[in-house]
Amino acid sequence: MNQLLRTVSYIFISTLIVISFSLQAYETAKPWQLKTQDGQLISLAQYKNKPVILHFWATWCPYCKKIQPTLVELQKKYQEQGVELISISFNEDEGTLPQDEINSRGYFFITAVMGEEVAELYDVRGTPTTFFINRKHEIIFKTSSSNKADPRLELALKEIIKI
């Protein structure tokens, strides 16, 4: 009985989430441009017509470290639909090398550095904060959760890949 109740609750909550995604008027993701650790320019405009997971993080953040494997898994699972995972590092100590840290964790997504202004532009209050942005560059979902079992993550991803 307990399993049945959990299953019914999950289906009910998932349905409510999907309905809420469908009824929202979405905010357009603000354009930004930053540099990567090696000095390459990166901008949201480079990902025109692509669904984007935009992840704000810091190397010192234990919660970021907790959620990143899930974001990487979701990106890989939906890479054929063009999903890109981009991160923006901010509030770092001087001399910190965020891309090296990402790579040492076994991940190879791009991270922009010195993203304080973009974090402010997106009203990011802390780490981690992750945005799911659709092909029209509309923000579908924003979360500051590090709960890797949160069903809203994959539901948001399914929403951003829609054409």
Side-chain angles (χ1 to χ4, degrees), residues 8-22:
V8 169
S9 295
Y10 175 79
I11 291 169
F12 178 73
I13 291 169
S14 298
T15 303
L16 286 177
I17 291 168
V18 169
I19 290 169
S20 72
F21 285 146
S22 302

Side-chain angles (χ1 to χ4, degrees), residues 105-124:
R105 294 177 186 178
Y107 312 133
F108 300 99
F109 56 85
I110 295 170
T111 196
V113 297
M114 300 188 321
E116 287 77 11
E117 287 182 20
V118 178
E120 190 174 315
L121 182 68
Y122 276 71
D123 198 29
V124 172

Side-chain angles (χ1 to χ4, degrees), residues 84-100:
E84 297 284 349
L85 172 57
I86 308 161
S87 65
I88 296 178
S89 173
F90 72 109
N91 288 344
E92 298 285 8
D93 293 329
E94 190 172 325
T96 301
L97 301 172
Q99 190 66 59
D100 289 356

Side-chain angles (χ1 to χ4, degrees), residues 35-89:
K35 289 186 178 179
T36 61
Q37 179 179 300
D38 64 2
Q40 302 269 336
L41 283 177
I42 181 173
S43 70
L44 183 60
Q46 290 173 254
Y47 298 91
K48 185 178 180 181
N49 298 319
K50 291 202 172 237
V52 173
I53 302 169
L54 182 60
H55 176 62
F56 288 85
W57 73 292
T59 56
W60 48 262
C61 170
Y63 303 105
C64 300
K65 196 172 187 176
K66 184 177 173 184
I67 194 65
Q68 286 170 349
T70 301
L71 299 177
V72 168
E73 286 173 27
L74 286 170
Q75 188 277 327
K76 284 182 182 177
K77 184 174 180 178
Y78 293 94
Q79 68 186 359
E80 288 184 18
Q81 285 81 15
V83 173
E84 297 284 349
L85 172 57
I86 308 161
S87 65
I88 296 178
S89 173

